[in-house]
Amino acid sequence: MGQTLAEKILQKHTDQEITEAGQIVQCRVSMVLANDVTAPLAIKSFKAMGAKKVFDQNKIALVCDHFTPNKDIDSAEQVKGVREFAEEMGVTHYYECGDVGVEHALLPEKGIVGPGDVVIGADSHTCTYGGLGAFATGMGSTDIGAAMALGETWFKVPSTIKVNITGTPKEHVSAKDFVLNQIGQLGVSGALYKALEYSGEVVDNMSIEGRMTIANMAIEAGGKVGLFSVDQKTLDYAATAGFSGGEAMTPDADAVYERVLNIDVTDMEPQIACPHLPDNVKPVDETAGVRIHQAVIGSCTNGRIEDLRVAAAILKGRKVDPKVRCIILPATPAIWKACMREGLMEIFMDAGCIVGPPTCGPCLGGHMGILAGGEVSIATTNRNFRGRMGSLKSEVYLSNPAVAAASAIAGEIINPAKL
Amino acid sequence: MKVTGTAHKVGDHIDTDAIIPARFLVTTDSKILGDNCMAGLEADWVKRVKKNDVLVGGENFGCGSSREHAPISILGAGIPVVLAKNFARIFYRNGFNMGLVLLELGDDIDKIKDTDQIEVDTATGEVKNITTGTTIKAAAVPPFMQKILDVGGLVEYVREKLA
C-alpha cells in the first residue's frame, strides 16, 4: 500500500514497519528545539529524569526569541538559565544575542532543519518546517526534555487530509490567504491529530517561504503537521542554507487519504480571520471599515523577506495613518539586513512605521506592541484568540502582509486593491 | 484514585492563552501559575475553585500553544481532572506527562452542567454525576500512554530508561 508524506518521513526514522495510521512508533529525531518560554520547563524535566548529558549537542536548538530582548527581570532570569544549560551541555545551536531570530524563520535559514528531517519543538509552530518537507511538530516541554536525553520520541502515525490548491490567484492574494481559507473550511479542530498534505499547481509554483507560511498554520486547524513534497526548489533552498542531505520526495500515487479538500483560488479575495478564532474567516471586503489602532507585520508566519517586500510595495510613497502603530519585525537578523540592503527600511521609516528587532514579541502578547482594552490590531501573525495580544477586551484580525500594510495606511481594514 | 468535587464548565476551543496568558510565562512556579489559572478567560476565575474540583471543557480543549504551563496551572489551581468532549493534541500529551488526568467523554459531556457534583474514578474512567444520578464511561486511555502512566509519568519512564 502506498505511503503519504507523513508515513514516508517517519519510516526513515524508525526501525518499526509503518503499516497504518494510528500505529504508535518510536522515532529518532533530527533536531530538538525549545525557546526562552519552554526551555526552562524542559530543562527542569531533563534534570528530574536524572539525565546528565544531551543525546547530541549538535541536534539541540535553544532559541531565545519570545521575550527577547528580555522584557523584564523574570524573563531575563529564564534566559540566563537557558544560557547556562546550553553552556553546560555544549549545545552548539544556542541563540540569544545579535544572532537571534524568530525560531521558525531562523532554523530553516541557517540550514539547521531541512527536507526529510523529523523535528520536534516545544513550540506549537514547529510545524513550519513542513514547508521544507520535514515532519515537524510541536510538543510540550517534558516531551522535549525526554527527547534531549534520549534522541527519540513516540508518535501516533497520523491519518492525512490532502489539500489540493489550484487556479490562478489575484493580485494581493497569497499563501496566507490560502491557508486562512482552508482553516475556515476545516475549522480549528478539523485536522485534530491529523497530517495535512499539500499539492496542486499553486503549491508547485509557490516559493519555499510561502510553503512555510502555510505549514506554519497547520496547528490552527488542530493539525500535527503540514507537509509539502520535496522538489528541486526545496533542495536548492536547503543547499543555499547550508543544510546537508535531503532528497526529492513525493507521496505514493496510491497513498491513502482520509479526505481530499480542493481549493480553487482563482476567485479568492484576501482572507481575514476575525476575532476570536483563526477559523472565523471572511473575505476582506466583509470586514472593510473596521477601525484599527495597530498593525503588526512579522512573526514566524509572515516575517520573512518576501512578506516584507510585499508590505514595502504597498507602503512605498504613502503614510501610515497617524493614529495607527505599524510595527514591523523582520524575523531574523539576515532578513533585517536584506531589508536595509534592498531599501525597504527607508520605505518603512518614511511611511512612519516602527521597525523593531527580531522577536515573537506582540504575536503572543509578550511585549513590543501590547493592546489596551478596546484596541484593535490587524496582524500577519497566526492566532487571534481573545486576549492573545493584550487586554481581554482587545481584538486581533489576521491577514496577509499586503492587507496589513494597506490597512495601516487607511486606518481601517481595507482591500489593498481599493487603497 | 477517586476524585469528588464541583464541576466548572467552560466552552469549546478553550485555548492555552485562556488557560494561562503569556504574561505569566516568565515563571515555572506552579503556585503562581495556579493562582492565575484561566486568567485569559475571566479575571479571578480561579477563585471559584476548591481543591479536587473538576474542570469540564467542550470540544478541542487546550488548543493553541505548546506551553506546559497550561496543565501545570490547572494542577496548581487544585484541579486533578479535566473532562472534555475531546482534547487538542499537544495539550493531551502534556497533561499526561504532568500527571493531570484527562478523560474524553464525547457528546456525553453535555450530561454535566456547571456546579454539578462529580465523582471520577481515574482508574476505570467512570464519571458519576452525583447531582443527576447518571454515570458516564470515558473513552479508554490509549495503551501506550497507559504504560507511561503506570510507571508514574514520562519523567519516571525516561528515568528508568536512562538507569
Side-chain angles (χ1 to χ4, degrees):
Chain A
M1 198 170 61
Q3 289 188 314
T4 60
L5 286 175
E7 290 164 341
K8 277 198 172 179
I9 303 169
L10 288 178
Q11 186 64 77
K12 284 189 186 156
H13 295 261
T14 181
D15 300 328
Q16 296 162 259
E17 192 194 345
I18 294 180
T19 53
E20 60 182 354
Q23 193 183 343
I24 303 284
V25 288
Q26 203 69 29
C27 280
R28 296 175 290 275
V29 292
S30 319
M31 190 58 60
V32 182
L33 163 73
N35 57 50
D36 50 330
V37 164
T38 59
L41 279 172
I43 294 165
K44 222 180 191 181
S45 293
F46 179 89
K47 292 190 169 156
M49 286 162 189
K52 297 279 179 277
K53 58 182 177 51
V54 296
F55 81 104
D56 185 335
Q57 57 196 26
N58 298 317
K59 291 185 177 176
I60 312 280
L62 297 170
V63 183
C64 298
D65 60 353
H66 275 53
F67 294 153
T68 49
N70 295 322
K71 73 185 180 88
D72 54 21
I73 296 167
D74 289 336
S75 59
E77 293 290 347
Q78 290 206 136
V79 167
K80 185 176 149 195
V82 180
R83 184 194 313 131
E84 286 169 355
F85 177 79
E87 280 170 4
E88 184 190 342
M89 296 292 152
V91 169
T92 47
H93 302 302
Y94 174 75
Y95 299 96
E96 175 200 337
C97 303
D99 54 358
V100 79
V102 174
E103 51 195 341
H104 308 310
L106 189 72
L107 299 196
E109 179 189 280
K110 288 197 167 292
I112 293 169
V113 295
D117 276 357
V118 167
V119 183
I120 59 170
D123 188 279
S124 60
H125 293 109
T126 301
C127 51
T128 309
Y129 318 134
L132 292 164
F135 188 100
T137 193
M139 287 187 188
S141 293
T142 297
D143 269 312
I144 292 306
M148 282 185 191
L150 301 174
E152 58 176 42
T153 193
W154 65 273
F155 291 108
K156 187 161 90 173
V157 177
S159 58
T160 297
I161 299 175
K162 189 185 182 88
V163 182
N164 196 30
I165 308 179
T166 55
T168 309
K170 291 183 184 173
E171 198 189 0
H172 306 307
V173 176
S174 59
K176 182 67 162 288
D177 303 295
F178 311 151
V179 72
L180 286 178
N181 180 277
Q182 172 229 290
I183 296 164
Q185 290 198 49
L186 289 177
V188 288
S189 57
L192 202 54
Y193 299 94
K194 302 182 204 315
L196 292 158
E197 187 183 293
Y198 295 91
S199 63
E201 72 219 29
V202 174
V203 164
D204 295 341
N205 295 328
M206 190 179 286
S207 68
I208 298 303
E209 300 196 332
R211 293 178 191 177
M212 286 199 276
T213 296
I214 291 178
N216 173 272
M217 292 193 76
I219 180 73
E220 306 323 326
K224 187 181 235 170
V225 288
L227 290 171
F228 288 77
S229 292
V230 178
D231 59 11
Q232 194 53 47
K233 226 185 290 191
T234 325
L235 296 174
D236 290 347
Y237 178 98
T240 305
F243 179 78
S244 54
E247 53 188 31
M249 177 178 53
T250 52
D252 290 331
D254 58 344
V256 178
Y257 296 98
E258 185 183 293
R259 178 181 170 188
V260 179
L261 178 67
N262 290 304
I263 300 179
D264 186 332
V265 302
T266 304
D267 296 323
M268 190 183 286
E269 296 293 336
Q271 306 281 296
I272 307 285
C274 300
H276 291 288
L277 280 176
D279 66 0
N280 189 13
V281 175
K282 294 176 183 163
V284 63
D285 287 342
E286 287 182 28
T287 59
V290 171
R291 293 293 306 174
I292 60 163
H293 305 85
Q294 179 164 299
V296 175
I297 302 174
S299 85
C300 57
T301 314
N302 280 125
R304 287 172 277 266
I305 189 65
E306 203 174 80
D307 304 311
L308 301 179
R309 284 181 194 136
V310 167
I314 303 267
L315 288 160
K316 190 173 185 179
R318 293 187 170 110
K319 291 278 182 204
V320 170
D321 182 293
K323 288 184 176 168
V324 173
R325 305 176 294 272
C326 182
I327 300 167
I328 298 185
L329 301 169
T332 69
I335 297 167
W336 225 98
K337 200 172 165 190
C339 285
M340 283 183 30
R341 200 174 51 234
E342 295 180 19
L344 310 189
M345 285 301 177
E346 187 128 4
I347 294 170
F348 296 148
M349 296 316 288
D350 285 346
C353 301
I354 304 157
V355 184
T359 181
C360 303
C363 171
L364 78 159
H367 63 156
M368 295 196 185
I370 306 301
L371 301 175
E375 287 193 334
V376 176
S377 181
I378 192 155
T380 68
T381 57
N382 42 53
R383 290 196 173 126
N384 57 352
F385 301 146
R386 202 157 72 91
R388 171 80 175 174
M389 204 176 272
S391 166
L392 284 178
K393 291 181 183 136
S394 63
E395 292 184 329
V396 177
Y397 290 78
L398 305 177
S399 78
N400 73 28
V403 173
S407 303
I409 294 160
E412 58 186 43
I413 297 177
I414 191 171
N415 187 338
K418 295 181 179 170
L419 191 66
Chain B
M1 179 177 75
K2 279 197 179 175
V3 175
T4 309
T6 304
H8 298 289
K9 263 203 120 157
V10 292
D12 289 335
H13 309 296
I14 293 296
D15 59 79
T16 52
D17 283 88
I19 299 169
I20 188 77
R23 63 182 181 278
F24 300 110
L25 303 185
V26 292
T27 181
T28 59
D29 186 296
S30 64
K31 168 89 173 61
I32 300 171
L33 294 171
D35 287 348
N36 294 286
C37 183
M38 293 289 167
L41 188 67
E42 192 186 313
D44 296 330
W45 181 92
V46 75
K47 286 193 174 155
R48 73 191 67 184
V49 175
K50 290 190 297 294
K51 195 166 169 52
N52 283 341
D53 278 358
V54 175
L55 184 55
V56 182
E59 191 184 336
N60 198 26
F61 183 89
C63 62
S65 98
S66 70
R67 63 189 71 163
E68 212 162 74
H69 309 71
I72 294 173
S73 146
I74 294 170
L75 284 165
I79 300 170
V81 179
V82 184
L83 310 173
K85 186 173 178 181
N86 57 22
F87 293 92
R89 185 188 66 83
I90 304 175
F91 183 87
Y92 191 67
R93 256 181 108 127
N94 284 350
F96 273 87
N97 292 344
M98 292 291 99
L100 177 64
V101 177
L102 308 176
L103 296 175
E104 291 196 340
L105 299 190
D107 290 335
D108 281 344
I109 200 74
D110 296 336
K111 293 179 182 164
I112 302 171
K113 305 282 177 244
D114 194 41
T115 72
D116 280 357
Q117 288 302 301
I118 302 291
E119 183 189 283
V120 180
D121 185 331
T122 58
T124 62
E126 210 168 75
V127 178
K128 236 184 250 174
N129 188 332
I130 298 166
T131 306
T132 63
T134 50
T135 299
I136 309 162
K137 184 97 169 103
V141 173
F144 181 78
M145 295 187 88
Q146 188 61 49
K147 218 164 71 185
I148 294 177
L149 276 185
D150 289 345
V151 296
L154 186 63
V155 168
E156 286 309 312
Y157 180 82
V158 177
R159 181 186 274 283
E160 278 183 19
K161 262 193 133 163
L162 288 173

